[in-house]
Amino acid sequence: MLYRLTKIVSAPFLHLLWPTRAIGAEHVPDSGPAILASNHLSVLDSTFLPLVLHRQVRFVAKAEYFTGNPVTAAWMRATGQIPIDRQSPTAAQDMLDAAARVLREGGLFGIYPEGTRSPDGRLYRGKVGVAWLALATGAPVIPVAMSGTDKVLPIGASTPRLGRVGVRIGEPLRFTGSETSARDRRRVTDEIMTAIQKLSGQEYVGSYAPARNQTG
C-alpha cells in the first residue's frame, strides 16, 4: 500500500520533469517471479524502471541509504528496497539470497549484471550472480536497456538535470543448467548481456567495469 501511494504521488511529477518512454512493458508478466536484468547508467535507473511498470520492482541498495539522509531513507523503505551491507565479506551472497526470497514469493527483482554503473556509457561484461539467480530459482530473465538516465544524473553530479529517459524491455529468457556449474553461469550471463546489448545498442566491453567507491 505504501509503495502504491508513493508511486501515485511521485509518478506525475517525475513524468513532467523527465518524460519517460517505455517500449516492451508488455513483456513483464502480470504476476509471478521474474528477474529484470538491466544495463546501469545512473543511480536513477532504479527510479525510472519501476516508474513504467504496474508491478513493484525490488532492488538491493547500500545499507547507508537507510541510515543517512532521512528523505532518502524514507524513499528506500517506501519503495521496498532491500538493505545490504556492501562492506560485508558475504555481501554478494547476501544479495543473491535476498533476491531469491523475493522471487520465491512471486515478486519482480531488478539487478544490474555489470555490478556497478558504466563509467563511460559502454556495456561491460556481466557478473555471474544473475545467472546463479536464474538457474537457482527457475525465474525468467527479462533484459532491459535504460537510456538517458546518465544525462539526467551523470556520475559525480548531485542535482538531476532535465531530460528524456527511455526504457526498452525485451522478451523473457529462460535458461537450463545448474547454478553450481561455473560454465553454465558464465554461458547464461553472456547470453543475458548479449540480449541487453541488442536492446541498448551500446558498445560492448569484454572486461568488468572498473570498481567505484560508490556503486548504485
PDB file of all heavy atoms in Angstrom, residues 177-190:
ATOM      1  N   GLY A 177      20.293 -25.478 -16.894  1.00  0.00           N
ATOM      2  CA  GLY A 177      21.658 -25.658 -16.413  1.00  0.00           C
ATOM      3  C   GLY A 177      21.661 -25.676 -14.897  1.00  0.00           C
ATOM      4  O   GLY A 177      20.605 -25.649 -14.250  1.00  0.00           O
ATOM      5  N   SER A 178      22.845 -25.724 -14.337  1.00  0.00           N
ATOM      6  CA  SER A 178      22.991 -25.802 -12.885  1.00  0.00           C
ATOM      7  C   SER A 178      23.670 -24.555 -12.349  1.00  0.00           C
ATOM      8  O   SER A 178      24.688 -24.110 -12.900  1.00  0.00           O
ATOM      9  CB  SER A 178      23.818 -27.035 -12.501  1.00  0.00           C
ATOM     10  OG  SER A 178      24.137 -27.009 -11.125  1.00  0.00           O
ATOM     11  N   GLU A 179      23.130 -24.012 -11.256  1.00  0.00           N
ATOM     12  CA  GLU A 179      23.751 -22.836 -10.648  1.00  0.00           C
ATOM     13  C   GLU A 179      25.108 -23.152 -10.029  1.00  0.00           C
ATOM     14  O   GLU A 179      25.900 -22.247  -9.745  1.00  0.00           O
ATOM     15  CB  GLU A 179      22.820 -22.232  -9.589  1.00  0.00           C
ATOM     16  CG  GLU A 179      22.679 -23.025  -8.313  1.00  0.00           C
ATOM     17  CD  GLU A 179      21.594 -24.092  -8.389  1.00  0.00           C
ATOM     18  OE1 GLU A 179      21.166 -24.427  -9.513  1.00  0.00           O
ATOM     19  OE2 GLU A 179      21.176 -24.574  -7.320  1.00  0.00           O
ATOM     20  N   THR A 180      25.398 -24.442  -9.845  1.00  0.00           N
ATOM     21  CA  THR A 180      26.691 -24.823  -9.276  1.00  0.00           C
ATOM     22  C   THR A 180      27.776 -24.977 -10.339  1.00  0.00           C
ATOM     23  O   THR A 180      28.944 -25.154 -10.008  1.00  0.00           O
ATOM     24  CB  THR A 180      26.570 -26.136  -8.486  1.00  0.00           C
ATOM     25  OG1 THR A 180      26.184 -27.186  -9.377  1.00  0.00           O
ATOM     26  CG2 THR A 180      25.537 -26.002  -7.377  1.00  0.00           C
ATOM     27  N   SER A 181      27.391 -24.910 -11.611  1.00  0.00           N
ATOM     28  CA  SER A 181      28.345 -25.063 -12.718  1.00  0.00           C
ATOM     29  C   SER A 181      28.871 -23.701 -13.157  1.00  0.00           C
ATOM     30  O   SER A 181      28.092 -22.851 -13.617  1.00  0.00           O
ATOM     31  CB  SER A 181      27.666 -25.759 -13.906  1.00  0.00           C
ATOM     32  OG  SER A 181      28.459 -25.642 -15.079  1.00  0.00           O
ATOM     33  N   ALA A 182      30.178 -23.498 -13.036  1.00  0.00           N
ATOM     34  CA  ALA A 182      30.775 -22.233 -13.456  1.00  0.00           C
ATOM     35  C   ALA A 182      30.562 -22.008 -14.948  1.00  0.00           C
ATOM     36  O   ALA A 182      30.328 -20.876 -15.389  1.00  0.00           O
ATOM     37  CB  ALA A 182      32.264 -22.217 -13.123  1.00  0.00           C
ATOM     38  N   ARG A 183      30.624 -23.077 -15.724  1.00  0.00           N
ATOM     39  CA  ARG A 183      30.435 -22.950 -17.178  1.00  0.00           C
ATOM     40  C   ARG A 183      29.016 -22.511 -17.495  1.00  0.00           C
ATOM     41  O   ARG A 183      28.811 -21.625 -18.331  1.00  0.00           O
ATOM     42  CB  ARG A 183      30.742 -24.275 -17.873  1.00  0.00           C
ATOM     43  CG  ARG A 183      30.539 -24.228 -19.378  1.00  0.00           C
ATOM     44  CD  ARG A 183      31.024 -25.494 -20.040  1.00  0.00           C
ATOM     45  NE  ARG A 183      32.472 -25.647 -19.889  1.00  0.00           N
ATOM     46  CZ  ARG A 183      33.162 -26.653 -20.411  1.00  0.00           C
ATOM     47  NH1 ARG A 183      32.543 -27.598 -21.115  1.00  0.00           N
ATOM     48  NH2 ARG A 183      34.463 -26.724 -20.236  1.00  0.00           N
ATOM     49  N   ASP A 184      28.016 -23.084 -16.824  1.00  0.00           N
ATOM     50  CA  ASP A 184      26.626 -22.697 -17.059  1.00  0.00           C
ATOM     51  C   ASP A 184      26.384 -21.247 -16.632  1.00  0.00           C
ATOM     52  O   ASP A 184      25.696 -20.489 -17.327  1.00  0.00           O
ATOM     53  CB  ASP A 184      25.672 -23.625 -16.302  1.00  0.00           C
ATOM     54  CG  ASP A 184      25.531 -24.985 -16.963  1.00  0.00           C
ATOM     55  OD1 ASP A 184      25.939 -25.135 -18.137  1.00  0.00           O
ATOM     56  OD2 ASP A 184      25.007 -25.912 -16.309  1.00  0.00           O
ATOM     57  N   ARG A 185      26.944 -20.860 -15.501  1.00  0.00           N
ATOM     58  CA  ARG A 185      26.751 -19.493 -15.030  1.00  0.00           C
ATOM     59  C   ARG A 185      27.338 -18.488 -16.013  1.00  0.00           C
ATOM     60  O   ARG A 185      26.735 -17.452 -16.311  1.00  0.00           O
ATOM     61  CB  ARG A 185      27.368 -19.296 -13.643  1.00  0.00           C
ATOM     62  CG  ARG A 185      26.682 -20.085 -12.539  1.00  0.00           C
ATOM     63  CD  ARG A 185      27.073 -19.580 -11.165  1.00  0.00           C
ATOM     64  NE  ARG A 185      28.510 -19.610 -10.937  1.00  0.00           N
ATOM     65  CZ  ARG A 185      29.168 -20.622 -10.399  1.00  0.00           C
ATOM     66  NH1 ARG A 185      28.519 -21.737 -10.052  1.00  0.00           N
ATOM     67  NH2 ARG A 185      30.479 -20.558 -10.196  1.00  0.00           N
ATOM     68  N   ARG A 186      28.511 -18.784 -16.541  1.00  0.00           N
ATOM     69  CA  ARG A 186      29.133 -17.871 -17.499  1.00  0.00           C
ATOM     70  C   ARG A 186      28.349 -17.824 -18.797  1.00  0.00           C
ATOM     71  O   ARG A 186      28.129 -16.748 -19.373  1.00  0.00           O
ATOM     72  CB  ARG A 186      30.576 -18.325 -17.765  1.00  0.00           C
ATOM     73  CG  ARG A 186      31.410 -17.421 -18.647  1.00  0.00           C
ATOM     74  CD  ARG A 186      31.795 -16.143 -17.927  1.00  0.00           C
ATOM     75  NE  ARG A 186      30.910 -15.025 -18.234  1.00  0.00           N
ATOM     76  CZ  ARG A 186      30.848 -13.928 -17.498  1.00  0.00           C
ATOM     77  NH1 ARG A 186      31.566 -13.795 -16.408  1.00  0.00           N
ATOM     78  NH2 ARG A 186      30.029 -12.951 -17.826  1.00  0.00           N
ATOM     79  N   ARG A 187      27.907 -18.980 -19.272  1.00  0.00           N
ATOM     80  CA  ARG A 187      27.142 -19.036 -20.523  1.00  0.00           C
ATOM     81  C   ARG A 187      25.862 -18.225 -20.417  1.00  0.00           C
ATOM     82  O   ARG A 187      25.543 -17.415 -21.300  1.00  0.00           O
ATOM     83  CB  ARG A 187      26.818 -20.500 -20.861  1.00  0.00           C
ATOM     84  CG  ARG A 187      25.807 -20.664 -22.004  1.00  0.00           C
ATOM     85  CD  ARG A 187      25.485 -22.133 -22.253  1.00  0.00           C
ATOM     86  NE  ARG A 187      24.997 -22.820 -21.076  1.00  0.00           N
ATOM     87  CZ  ARG A 187      23.738 -22.755 -20.627  1.00  0.00           C
ATOM     88  NH1 ARG A 187      22.838 -22.028 -21.285  1.00  0.00           N
ATOM     89  NH2 ARG A 187      23.369 -23.434 -19.555  1.00  0.00           N
ATOM     90  N   VAL A 188      25.120 -18.443 -19.345  1.00  0.00           N
ATOM     91  CA  VAL A 188      23.848 -17.753 -19.167  1.00  0.00           C
ATOM     92  C   VAL A 188      24.069 -16.246 -19.033  1.00  0.00           C
ATOM     93  O   VAL A 188      23.341 -15.435 -19.636  1.00  0.00           O
ATOM     94  CB  VAL A 188      23.107 -18.321 -17.937  1.00  0.00           C
ATOM     95  CG1 VAL A 188      21.912 -17.431 -17.568  1.00  0.00           C
ATOM     96  CG2 VAL A 188      22.650 -19.741 -18.217  1.00  0.00           C
ATOM     97  N   THR A 189      25.060 -15.851 -18.262  1.00  0.00           N
ATOM     98  CA  THR A 189      25.346 -14.424 -18.096  1.00  0.00           C
ATOM     99  C   THR A 189      25.672 -13.775 -19.433  1.00  0.00           C
ATOM    100  O   THR A 189      25.179 -12.678 -19.740  1.00  0.00           O
ATOM    101  CB  THR A 189      26.510 -14.218 -17.113  1.00  0.00           C
ATOM    102  OG1 THR A 189      26.169 -14.802 -15.857  1.00  0.00           O
ATOM    103  CG2 THR A 189      26.808 -12.741 -16.914  1.00  0.00           C
ATOM    104  N   ASP A 190      26.496 -14.438 -20.243  1.00  0.00           N
ATOM    105  CA  ASP A 190      26.870 -13.862 -21.539  1.00  0.00           C
ATOM    106  C   ASP A 190      25.657 -13.735 -22.455  1.00  0.00           C
ATOM    107  O   ASP A 190      25.536 -12.754 -23.206  1.00  0.00           O
ATOM    108  CB  ASP A 190      27.952 -14.723 -22.203  1.00  0.00           C
ATOM    109  CG  ASP A 190      29.301 -14.608 -21.500  1.00  0.00           C
ATOM    110  OD1 ASP A 190      29.480 -13.671 -20.703  1.00  0.00           O
ATOM    111  OD2 ASP A 190      30.180 -15.470 -21.749  1.00  0.00           O
TER     112      ASP A 190
END
